[in-house]
Amino acid sequence: MSTTLSLVTFFFVAGYVAPLVLGRAHWPYRSPRLGVAAWLVLAATCALTAVFAVGTVAVPVAVVGHGLADWWHACLGRWRHYYGDANVVGVFLAAAVTAVLVGRLVQSAVGYRRSVVGVRRTHHAALSLLSVAGPPHVVVIPHPVPAAYCVPGRPGRVVMTDSAVRALEPDQVEAVVAHERAHLAGRHALLMGLATVLQGAFGRIAPVFRRATSETAALLEMVADDAAVARCPAPRVAEALVTLADGPAPTTALAASGADLVRRIWRLTTPQRPLGRVPTLVTLVVLSLGAVVPVAAVVGPVVVGIVAATCAHPHGA
């Protein structure tokens, strides 16, 4: 049970404590790409730990390590050794919970794909009918409210309303287009999809999943803001975002006026020093170690058990 207790402890730290610490950190504003990686790795690791923690109750790692050759016989023997006949119900209950967690993950992924893909296909078809003349490689649609967004797909499209083209200066239009193209080029929709699927599957068991979704959305917008700043001074990009603040956009699109506009405008109007190499390296190492811990906690004893079983019974003896 030590493996299970270790995983439960790690789940509590990753699911409840780490989001509080990371949520108060300032460095993600200085390196939003690294911030996105941190939140997604934290959420994915927490989900994996939850499945492993419950799974190791149903199937102790020693069972796997000592019974690959004679799986069923080893399972029965090891279950009785670890739990006794009286706790068989608890073992099967843990197995059922594990199946539910995995099933929720699959259900969330399938549901997200069905809802998003269908809406995007419909929107792409409508854009071909509604577009009017505008900037090169941009679909301009008639609408009284300034708005800009991108619709991922094959191919992805940058969309602006004609009122946005009129309301913004040429350099701001170029910056907004660069912002949306950064979303498409960086496949930000897939990253948001991952966060959304994890929240849909596990959002009720730990706050990290809800927080990861909101923070990932805001940080991806900051990544795209940086691409816009490469084409236009940051204060003018901030002005463009304010102009587009009330613009409509489909729920499956990534809009320039999207997540956490207040923090983004503050970031654009307040000079940010890039994150140094040493803090970046330290963060990457911490993320890597954190992602490895739950896997090592399960795989390590299994490998040791397999080796011990092989040495004890060489050549199938």
Side-chain angles (χ1 to χ4, degrees), residues 50-283:
V51 174
F52 280 174
V54 181
T56 53
V57 174
V59 184
V61 292
V63 169
V64 181
H66 287 82
L68 286 182
D70 302 303
W71 170 256
W72 183 243
H73 177 74
C75 282
L76 291 177
R78 290 290 169 176
W79 274 332
R80 291 194 180 98
H81 171 74
Y82 278 93
Y83 298 111
D85 293 330
N87 291 326
V88 171
V89 174
V91 171
F92 281 99
L93 179 62
V97 173
T98 304
V100 168
L101 291 177
V102 175
R104 283 187 61 85
L105 181 60
V106 174
Q107 180 185 23
S108 180
V110 172
Y112 176 81
R113 187 180 185 281
R114 285 179 177 174
S115 62
V116 168
V117 171
V119 172
R120 285 176 181 167
R121 285 177 179 171
T122 302
H123 198 71
H124 274 292
L127 289 175
S128 300
L129 300 175
L130 297 174
S131 61
V132 298
H137 309 296
V138 176
V139 178
V140 179
I141 59 176
H143 197 280
V145 180
Y149 57 90
C150 66
V151 183
R154 296 183 180 179
R157 293 183 176 183
V158 176
V159 182
M160 295 184 72
T161 61
D162 55 354
S163 54
V165 176
R166 292 192 301 268
L168 300 175
E169 297 294 332
D171 62 333
Q172 291 177 316
V173 171
E174 185 178 1
V176 170
V177 172
H179 175 107
E180 300 303 337
R181 286 177 177 165
H183 281 317
L184 297 174
R187 297 185 177 275
H188 293 174
L190 291 178
L191 299 178
M192 274 307 305
L194 173 60
T196 303
V197 167
L198 289 175
Q199 180 184 353
F202 305 110
R204 295 183 179 181
I205 65 176
V208 64
F209 301 105
R210 295 187 298 274
R211 190 67 183 272
T213 301
S214 61
E215 292 295 329
T216 297
L219 291 170
L220 287 175
E221 292 297 337
M222 293 178 189
V223 172
D225 289 342
D226 290 342
V229 170
R231 301 295 184 91
C232 182
R236 289 186 57 74
V237 173
E239 292 176 3
L241 294 180
V242 172
T243 302
L244 302 172
D246 295 326
T251 55
T252 57
L254 297 173
S257 58
D260 215 331
L261 191 58
V262 173
R263 267 197 295 174
R264 291 166 55 202
I265 291 177
W266 170 83
R267 180 175 178 269
L268 288 169
T269 56
T270 305
Q272 302 290 319
R273 290 188 302 108
L275 197 63
R277 292 183 178 180
V278 173
T280 298
L281 181 60
V282 170
T283 303

